[in-house]
């Protein structure tokens, strides 16, 4: 109930920003406005995790070609599912990602109960291999719009550290920690700490 209440307030307060981003995205790109990527949620159920689209429309093909030409980067992609200089990202998309504004549509995922305001970072099915014995912790919570990873350096952390943060969060969850993470998300996003 708290998630839904705060998500509604967030949507209302951020509506001028959201509408401005919609106009800007439509003026700079003719492709779809939103991108719904399949992620694993509570209990292993898959859902579409919504974001403002920050990549070129043919992103999968661009990525395939890029990784084929760069084996060392392909190895890093296989391990972390992150790229520092992602060739698929549009110029406006890079700004939205840096400021985490691309994730605002995930407030819709919170309203539908697929995500929480705070929780583990939503992952794709292939990433669950990295969780090993921590997989049960991940699957026992709703993925979060924010979480320990987002306020602890994001992409500057290793994947192992990310898994440990998710496990710690689930094992030590309390309302005070959630409120602290929400408050700390604002400066972390404003200063773009660890954002690529």
């Amino acid at each position: 109930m708290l998630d839904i209440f705060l998500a509604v307030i967030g949507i209302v307060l951020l509506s001028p920003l959201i509408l401005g981003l919609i106009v800007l995205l439509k003026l700079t790109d003719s492709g779809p406005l939103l991108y719904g990527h399949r992620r694993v949620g509570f209990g292993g159920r898959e859902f579409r995790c919504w974001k403002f689209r920050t990549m070129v429309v043919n992103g999968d093909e661009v990525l395939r070609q890029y990784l084929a030409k760069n084996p060392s980067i392909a190895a890093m992609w296989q391990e972390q599912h992150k790229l520092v200089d992602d060739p698929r990202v549009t110029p406006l998309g890079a700004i939205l990602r840096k400021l985490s504004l691309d994730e605002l549509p995930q407030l819709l995922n919170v309203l539908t109960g697929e995500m929480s305001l705070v929780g583990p970072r939503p992952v794709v099915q292939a990433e669950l291999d990295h969780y090993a014995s921590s997989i049960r912790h991940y699957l026992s919570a709703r993925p979060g719009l924010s979480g320990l990873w987002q306020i602890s350096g994001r992409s500057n952390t290793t994947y192992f550290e990310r898994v440990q943060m998710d496990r710690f969060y689930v094992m030590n969850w309390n309302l005070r920690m959630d409120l602290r993470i929400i408050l700390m998300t604002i400066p972390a996003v404003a200063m773009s700490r660890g954002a690529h």
Side-chain angles (χ1 to χ4, degrees):
M1 290 299 293
L2 184 61
D3 272 340
I4 292 171
F5 175 71
L6 292 177
V8 169
I9 289 177
I11 289 170
V12 170
L13 293 178
L14 295 169
S15 58
L17 174 61
I18 293 169
L19 290 172
L21 290 173
I22 289 171
V23 170
L24 196 55
L25 284 161
K26 279 299 178 188
L27 288 175
T28 58
D29 194 323
S30 60
L33 183 66
L34 296 178
Y35 178 71
H37 201 261
R38 301 299 297 180
R39 300 294 171 112
V40 181
F42 179 73
R45 289 188 293 274
E46 288 196 351
F47 68 99
R48 284 197 181 277
C49 184
W50 294 108
K51 291 187 176 191
F52 283 125
R53 187 175 58 81
T54 58
M55 297 185 184
V56 293
V57 176
N58 62 333
D60 290 339
E61 179 59 23
V62 170
L63 178 64
R64 188 190 65 73
Q65 291 178 10
Y66 182 70
L67 296 180
K69 293 176 186 174
N70 299 280
S72 61
I73 294 174
M76 185 173 68
W77 170 258
Q78 193 66 27
E79 182 185 326
Q80 298 190 11
H81 289 270
K82 282 280 183 187
L83 295 175
V84 175
D85 294 311
D86 195 323
R88 301 169 295 172
V89 178
T90 64
L92 177 58
I95 296 168
L96 295 183
R97 286 176 161 220
K98 189 82 171 166
L99 299 173
S100 295
L101 295 175
D102 61 317
E103 298 186 358
L104 286 176
Q106 289 172 24
L107 288 167
L108 298 174
N109 291 116
V110 175
L111 286 179
T112 58
E114 296 162 322
M115 291 179 65
S116 179
L117 287 175
V118 181
R121 187 77 179 144
V123 299
V124 298
Q125 191 72 43
E127 289 179 272
L128 290 179
D129 294 340
H130 295 286
Y131 278 74
S133 63
S134 298
I135 193 169
R136 64 188 178 90
H137 297 92
Y138 175 83
L139 296 177
S140 67
R142 283 185 178 83
L145 182 59
S146 185
L148 283 178
W149 181 73
Q150 288 88 331
I151 65 169
S152 304
R154 291 195 279 183
S155 295
N156 291 337
T157 60
T158 66
Y159 208 104
F160 177 77
E161 290 170 328
R162 172 176 159 178
V163 171
Q164 294 307 304
M165 283 184 244
D166 285 348
R167 181 179 179 130
F168 177 87
Y169 171 80
V170 173
M171 292 179 70
N172 297 280
W173 178 87
N174 60 67
L175 187 56
R176 180 185 289 178
M177 181 168 27
D178 274 4
L179 294 175
R180 180 176 157 271
I181 290 170
I182 290 170
L183 290 175
M184 291 181 69
T185 298
I186 298 166
V189 167
M191 295 190 301
S192 302
R193 286 200 297 261
H196 291 164

